[in-house]
Amino acid sequence: MVGFSVIRLRTGACAVGLLALAMSGGRVRAQVAAASAPVVAPISVDYPLQGSVFPPEFPAPLVMWRDPSRAASWTLEATFADGGPALRAESKGERMAVGEIDTRCLSPTNELPTLSPEQAAARTWRPPVEMWRDIKRRSVAAPVTLKITGHFEGRNVSAGQVLLQTSADPVGAPIFYRDVPLMPAETEPGVIKPLANTAVPLIAWRLRDIEQTTSRVLIEGIHSCANCHSFSRDGKTMGIDLDGPQNDKGIYALASVQPRTVIGKENLIEWSTNRGKLGGKIRVGFMSQVSPDGQRVVTMINDPGAGQEDYQRRKNPLDLMQNFYVANFKTYKFLQVFYPTRGILAWYDKAAGKLRPLPGADDTDYVHTNETWSPDGKYLVFARAKARDAYPAGARAAEVANDANETPLQYDLYRIPFRDGQGGKAEPIAGASSNGKSNSFPKISPDGRWLVYVQARNGLLMRPDSRLFIVPAAGGVAREMKCNTSLMNSWHSFSPNGRWLVFSSKSRGPYTKMFLTHIDAEGNDTPAILIENSTAANRAVNIPEFVNVPPSGFMKIEAPVTDYYRVVDIAADLLKKNDYLGAAVEWAKALDLEPNEALAHNNLGLALVETGKLDEGMAHYRRALELSPGYPEAYNNLGSALVRRRRLPEAVEQFENALKSNPDHANAHVNLGAALAQMGRVDEAMPHLERAVELLPRDPDANTNLGLALAMKGRLDTAIPYLETALEVKPGSFENHFNLGRMLAAQGRFAQAIPRFEEAAKLSGGREALILSLLSGAYGEVGRYADAAQTARRALAVTPPGDARSVEALQSRIAQYDALAK
């Protein structure tokens, strides 16, 4: 009361205010203290995501968070539902790093990986091994709370937390996957080949034991783009689509999985040969799948009844262009899109060695693809759509993935009984069909209860908008999965125990990475967790698949069968460079490895002919035709060699044989037309030359030969545009300048002919007497007599002395022009 007496009360309102303050006591002091306390900023935990579930054998993840405060250090505290002691660690919050770079994969067509703005702003910490072991052990029954607190000058300035859990379900199997460079290159339109041949040997196949922090390379350096693969349920048999030489996609390998797995010639199945014969017309086996017992393979093949009779269609790229929509892009971020527009399902029996259509999935009005076996092998699920042309007339080419110019195709998922290859009626799967989306890449859980598939706007595989969905295997209500990331989710595979799903995503940048999610018995999944260090930061991983073997059961793959492919790639590259001597040496090596390969005989023949060894070359052409009687390139090349021998009637026969095998073989049309014209059978030549220009509108040889044939018919006005096209496409050819000059001169258009003759003389080095002679005559026609006389002298200087008639004519012309020039 003594202290209180010194307070002077001036007004009633003031007195009431002071009295209220005095009576509030501690409550006011608490409020004042709170108002003066520093603000704690919210920390955003970017990884792991809230509710993530880890396998019990998973190594410590890299925790990532963003802190907007001035924090200079952080405490990370794990608290548990069991009430036991918390675990704490201190961190300086190191910045995130890009990672290791593979310098072999640097290219003008890609870029080094960079951090996103969020990643660049992130702080990181990895739990020490023992701390992570304790966290996993104590978070199986209930989630652990990982709290992050930021400190600055001794004060707590930020805080955030995330709930994690460890599953009691182990992964229990390693992951087999492909590790690829992203180095797009200009390739053939319509051909599934996004990488140049030089980049293919950089592809590696790896195995990842989930307990480890790195992966093991099983094989690399092969000259074959091995791709879609599958394993039997017991992990003892592996099947893999194996691109043969020069993008041949009709080859499949079926091998026994061992610590040292060997893929030899005896493991190959060539769908177009007697090992898997179905009319001898199969070029493509697509996304083949081994049965659970390892005894059968189901694959998508091209329609075996569509034209090109009696020819090993795997040699003919028209199959891919007719049955697959393909776009290879220049951007490495999404460097290709491909999906089939026609095709049926067929099954191969290992014991019988035969490939047969699967009834119920062989209707050529539809495309059937993306097939997968049920765990018991009793039925298949596959993607189906109405068949259509891959490239509709007038369609513009797509320039990026999901371009509106892509050929529209939306698949539905269907289920069909296998019944020992008898098939049956295909039924749509409710929830994965007729939903206005494209549904593809089905995978059935090992217990047979669930079906996980990819949904996108259009097509299949590697779609930017692809999302994973789950639906009861018999059909029902589909659910979008929690594990989906922000960009591209596909290539998924169930672990043998069915509790884990691995998949690929581009959510962390263009260089695709691999993720895991846990799936419980009721089909509920969890946020994705990253499988770190799967490859270098500037390489991509795809097609991950669990293998039901211990990691030590699959240590290395050897593929001696691909030695042939390596030699073929080298030889083919030398041919493209017109190094015929070098190519002949390499093609001979290829035949040492594969003596009965028609392609090698044909190309060795070509190299020999171009080095002047016509008889040896023709012998190899004939051997190629013995091995492959419907091989149009060999017929065409043999015909061309016979033309060099001036055996025109025999050459015509070979060109006609080429066209019987492939009526649209443009080069055979060109050569047949030219041979017939040389024989004076111009009327017969014309349809072939016109067809050649239809097939190859900008081909200089096709245009030149048609132009010359029209000139022989006296149709100079019609001929000249074709010769102009040939010159426009190939301006460095002195023959093209000369041919156009001749036509112009024949019409009396000497002023226009002179520049053509002058360029022809320049490009030929002034060594062609006929060019100089015609140029001399053209100069004379326009009154340039001095130039005419000088050019005639040049022509005389390169005219063979034995050509008396030409020598005499030139000498007479020189005298005439000299007189006129005075």
Side-chain angles (χ1 to χ4, degrees), residues 371-383:
E371 62 284 350
T372 192
W373 293 89
S374 65
D376 56 11
K378 292 183 177 179
Y379 69 91
L380 294 156
V381 173
F382 64 94

Side-chain angles (χ1 to χ4, degrees), residues 496-567:
N497 63 13
R499 289 294 172 257
W500 297 93
L501 191 83
V502 64
F503 66 97
S504 293
S505 165
K506 287 183 179 288
S507 59
R508 288 206 174 198
Y511 296 98
T512 319
K513 298 196 168 34
M514 206 162 44
F515 294 82
L516 272 181
T517 181
H518 181 263
I519 301 180
D520 67 18
E522 301 308 314
N524 300 304
D525 69 297
T526 56
I529 59 174
L530 174 69
I531 301 175
E532 298 180 53
N533 300 321
S534 297
T535 185
N538 63 327
R539 293 173 64 98
V541 301
N542 60 25
I543 330 180
E545 182 173 3
F546 285 104
V547 189
N548 194 13
V549 295
S552 60
F554 201 12
M555 301 291 290
K556 185 179 183 181
I557 298 176
E558 295 177 5
V561 71
T562 63
D563 290 345
Y564 171 72
Y565 307 156
R566 176 182 56 79
V567 175

Side-chain angles (χ1 to χ4, degrees), residues 777-796:
Y779 282 144
E781 291 291 341
V782 298
R784 295 170 59 181
Y785 300 121
D787 290 335
Q790 180 186 6
T791 305
R793 287 186 175 89
R794 292 173 59 197
L796 182 61

Side-chain angles (χ1 to χ4, degrees), residues 48 166 172 242 298 302-303 331 360 396 436 450 461 488 498 591 714 732 746:
T166 303
L242 192 65
V298 65
N302 53 280
D303 173 10
T331 172
R396 296 175 58 189
W450 301 102
L461 303 177
M488 197 197 85
L591 282 177

Side-chain angles (χ1 to χ4, degrees), residues 88-257:
R88 292 180 181 82
E90 302 298 324
S91 172
K92 292 297 183 182
E94 289 80 2
R95 295 292 187 182
M96 188 176 180
V98 168
E100 174 192 356
I101 298 297
D102 186 341
T103 57
R104 301 172 303 166
C105 300
L106 303 180
S107 164
T109 58
N110 63 26
E111 299 174 2
L112 285 173
T114 58
L115 299 177
S116 69
E118 292 79 10
Q119 291 171 332
R123 300 289 184 168
T124 68
W125 168 77
R126 193 182 303 277
V129 173
E130 292 198 4
M131 181 178 179
W132 178 244
R133 185 182 301 123
D134 287 345
I135 288 174
K136 289 191 293 182
R137 179 178 56 82
R138 297 174 61 188
S139 63
V140 174
V144 56
T145 300
L146 180 63
K147 184 177 179 180
I148 306 173
T149 303
H151 312 292
F152 180 72
E153 295 182 349
R155 294 181 292 114
N156 295 344
V157 294
S158 59
Q161 66 180 40
V162 63
L163 268 66
L164 314 173
Q165 193 162 3
T166 303
S167 174
D169 303 314
V171 171
I175 301 169
F176 180 68
Y177 63 94
R178 190 171 67 158
D179 171 7
V180 297
L182 298 184
M183 301 164 66
E186 291 290 343
T187 51
E188 298 174 66
V191 176
I192 305 172
K193 189 183 178 184
L195 298 180
N197 286 339
T198 54
V200 170
L202 296 176
I203 297 173
W205 287 92
R206 292 176 176 264
L207 194 76
R208 180 59 172 266
D209 177 1
I210 290 300
E211 292 189 31
Q212 304 301 317
T213 56
T214 58
S215 302
R216 180 172 64 248
V217 174
L218 298 182
I219 187 171
E220 63 181 342
I222 63 173
H223 284 248
S224 176
C225 187
N227 38 72
C228 300
H229 54 81
S230 60
F231 295 85
S232 59
R233 191 169 185 181
D234 61 9
K236 294 181 178 179
T237 302
M238 176 182 71
I240 188 165
D241 289 326
L242 192 65
D243 289 4
Q246 296 185 301
N247 206 41
D248 179 347
K249 295 189 181 293
I251 298 176
Y252 190 69
L254 203 57
S256 174
V257 176

Side-chain angles (χ1 to χ4, degrees), residues 168-382:
D169 303 314
V171 171
I175 301 169
F176 180 68
Y177 63 94
R178 190 171 67 158
D179 171 7
V180 297
L182 298 184
M183 301 164 66
E186 291 290 343
T187 51
E188 298 174 66
V191 176
I192 305 172
K193 189 183 178 184
L195 298 180
N197 286 339
T198 54
V200 170
L202 296 176
I203 297 173
W205 287 92
R206 292 176 176 264
L207 194 76
R208 180 59 172 266
D209 177 1
I210 290 300
E211 292 189 31
Q212 304 301 317
T213 56
T214 58
S215 302
R216 180 172 64 248
V217 174
L218 298 182
I219 187 171
E220 63 181 342
I222 63 173
H223 284 248
S224 176
C225 187
N227 38 72
C228 300
H229 54 81
S230 60
F231 295 85
S232 59
R233 191 169 185 181
D234 61 9
K236 294 181 178 179
T237 302
M238 176 182 71
I240 188 165
D241 289 326
L242 192 65
D243 289 4
Q246 296 185 301
N247 206 41
D248 179 347
K249 295 189 181 293
I251 298 176
Y252 190 69
L254 203 57
S256 174
V257 176
Q258 304 287 341
R260 175 176 168 267
T261 299
V262 178
I263 302 175
K265 187 175 180 181
E266 67 279 5
N267 300 114
L268 293 189
I269 303 168
E270 296 187 56
W271 300 132
S272 59
T273 66
N274 288 331
R275 287 204 188 187
K277 191 169 183 180
L278 186 65
K281 306 162 191 168
I282 309 306
R283 180 171 195 259
V284 178
F286 182 66
M287 299 196 76
S288 313
Q289 292 285 301
V290 175
S291 62
D293 62 6
Q295 299 304 304
R296 291 161 171 159
V297 178
V298 65
T299 187
M300 193 211 86
I301 61 173
N302 53 280
D303 173 10
Q308 302 170 9
E309 298 294 334
D310 301 322
Y311 173 48
Q312 291 183 340
R313 294 180 73 190
R314 67 187 177 86
K315 308 293 188 206
N316 193 334
L318 287 177
D319 288 333
L320 283 177
M321 297 185 72
Q322 291 168 350
N323 299 320
F324 285 79
Y325 177 78
V326 182
N328 299 309
F329 305 128
K330 295 180 181 179
T331 172
Y332 70 101
K333 297 179 180 179
F334 280 91
L335 53 75
Q336 70 172 162
V337 57
F338 65 91
Y339 45 86
T341 61
R342 298 186 186 277
I344 66 171
L345 295 189
W347 65 283
Y348 175 82
D349 184 78
K350 188 175 178 181
K354 295 293 181 182
L355 185 68
R356 306 159 189 157
L358 180 65
D362 59 350
D363 184 346
T364 55
D365 286 339
Y366 295 88
V367 54
H368 314 71
T369 189
N370 266 192
E371 62 284 350
T372 192
W373 293 89
S374 65
D376 56 11
K378 292 183 177 179
Y379 69 91
L380 294 156
V381 173
F382 64 94

